[in-house]
Amino acid sequence: MVLSKLASESDVSVHCTFASRYVRESLPRYKMLENSIPKEAAFQIINDELMLDGKPRLNLASFVTTWMEPECDKLIMDAMNKNYVDMDEYPVTTELQNRCVNMIAHLFNAPLGDSEAAIGVGTVGSSEAIMLAGLAFKRKWQNKRKAEGKPHDKPNIVTGANVQVCWEKFARYFEVELKEVKLREGYYVMDPKKAVEMVDENTICVAAILGSTLNGEFEDVKLLNDLLLEKNKVTGWDTPIHVDAASGGFIAPFLWPELEWDFRLPLVKSINVSGHKYGLVYAGVGWVIWRSKENLPEELIFHINYLGTNQPTFTLNFSKGSSQIIAQYYQLIRLGYEGYRNGLEKTGRFNIVSKEIGVPLVAFSLKDNTRHTEFEIAEMLRRFGWIVPAYTMPADAQHVTVLRVVIREDFSRTLAERIVLDITKVLHDLDSLPAKINARMSVVAEQKNGTVVKKTAIETQREITTYWKNFVMAKKNNNNTIC
């Protein structure tokens, strides 16, 4: 006789995941469940929500790497459970980090002797790297001012208005005044002459950007160095330079090796670079390199021994994964100098970047935005899965709006042709629609002394830009997550 039984609610082994009560009932979003649920149900619930995320390879807003070779993926997964800070337990991982620091230092022409070790550290990204470099500049400036018996409570840093938000964070978090060189239409990077004019005795450093987030352009670090040398000679100051090479640090040495922007310039004391951008590693790794040991004050370095041995540490956090460090080392030895150079040249896309010398991206504006704006194009491109940012330039070029497409290693010819086709479709669709917002704003007139005065084209454009900027920001602010 055949023995049988009815499946009970608790017999999860015979239930289909999608038919179980765990996926049929709504789960609390912001409180923990009282009871456990099966691992299959937990996976499926999360996986289903993640399906609604954008596709990383279609995210053309981001500079961050979205594809690596399967062999490196395996190395990353194998190292997921290694805590990088446990140097005594994982000495090989520590050695790989030291090799990366030295390779990058030599790439940036650090003045090192034959057996001299480079000074630098791996970070979570360029944001942490910039915080560490800024702290070194601030402490070194403070120490000098104290030794001279001068006030040391009002440090400032000079940058362009085009800097990434991490510089604003550094200034606010560590109480340093941020003196920004304003931009102007047609010139969207820091003007070295204006920057040097803003330098005073309280300036801890001037920050130059090698690859502006806005249009990919490299700032003229060589001219900045020369002008600052002259000012230092006249004033007796020794104001240094930091180069934020987050985007351009893994591009310039391979495509324009003759370009002087790095430690070949005497006032460049530290450089940061993002391994997870054109260093071709997944998100979560950056590097900061100092010119020499004297540029990193010893009192900023902590020494701990509760993990087994004496370990020096200079980071803002403590525990972090080892996988990105290992992945960076993989890329450096896998590709070598030749690989990084060829990987960029063979894309055949550098004739269309915003500037002849700069980060491989395309920043573009509508020639005629009297009917529709760049913000409308960005919004409608999402129908096709593309994530293309539209944004306004910083002060004093706020009236200029651009779209930006970042060219990464995995951006194939097929995808390039596809997005051009989709942009064409979006423009066609927009042309067939009434320009409601623009029409409403363009007819708005001001009354002055009883006379109706039509707004100028630039006033209308600024109103449209402000409207769409507020519209997009309002949508983003619906998600209150702090990142």
Side-chain angles (χ1 to χ4, degrees), residues 422-442:
D422 289 342
I423 289 175
T424 303
K425 289 180 179 178
V426 166
L427 290 173
H428 180 268
D429 290 345
L430 285 172
D431 288 341
S432 65
L433 297 173
K436 296 179 180 178
I437 297 167
N438 190 54
R440 183 171 69 248
M441 290 185 171
S442 62

Side-chain angles (χ1 to χ4, degrees), residues 216-256:
E217 186 176 353
F218 292 171
E219 293 180 345
D220 194 339
V221 188
K222 176 67 165 60
L223 178 58
L224 175 65
N225 178 85
D226 294 345
L227 294 174
L228 200 51
L229 277 173
E230 292 179 9
K231 184 159 188 174
N232 285 346
K233 185 177 181 180
V234 172
T235 60
W237 305 332
D238 56 357
T239 307
I241 296 172
H242 174 86
V243 179
D244 180 356
S247 298
F250 279 116
I251 294 175
F254 306 107
L255 295 183
W256 302 284

Side-chain angles (χ1 to χ4, degrees), residues 156-276:
N156 69 65
I157 189 168
V158 176
T159 70
N162 57 314
V163 292
Q164 214 262 1
V165 69
C166 60
W167 284 99
E168 298 178 41
K169 289 182 178 180
F170 166 75
R172 189 178 301 177
Y173 294 167
F174 297 105
E175 298 180 322
V176 176
E177 179 190 1
L178 189 66
K179 300 172 69 174
E180 293 185 336
V181 178
K182 304 301 182 185
L183 311 184
R184 62 180 184 272
E185 187 169 355
Y187 196 90
Y188 303 122
V189 292
M190 180 179 69
D191 185 333
K193 294 180 181 179
K194 292 182 179 180
V196 173
E197 289 174 359
M198 296 176 70
V199 169
D200 58 33
E201 63 179 351
N202 293 321
T203 302
I204 63 174
C205 79
V206 180
I209 311 299
L210 195 77
S212 172
T213 301
L214 302 177
N215 67 346
E217 186 176 353
F218 292 171
E219 293 180 345
D220 194 339
V221 188
K222 176 67 165 60
L223 178 58
L224 175 65
N225 178 85
D226 294 345
L227 294 174
L228 200 51
L229 277 173
E230 292 179 9
K231 184 159 188 174
N232 285 346
K233 185 177 181 180
V234 172
T235 60
W237 305 332
D238 56 357
T239 307
I241 296 172
H242 174 86
V243 179
D244 180 356
S247 298
F250 279 116
I251 294 175
F254 306 107
L255 295 183
W256 302 284
E258 72 287 347
L259 183 67
E260 294 184 42
W261 63 272
D262 52 20
F263 292 120
R264 285 170 289 182
L265 303 176
L267 290 183
V268 174
K269 305 301 183 183
S270 56
I271 301 172
N272 69 276
V273 64
S274 291
H276 57 221

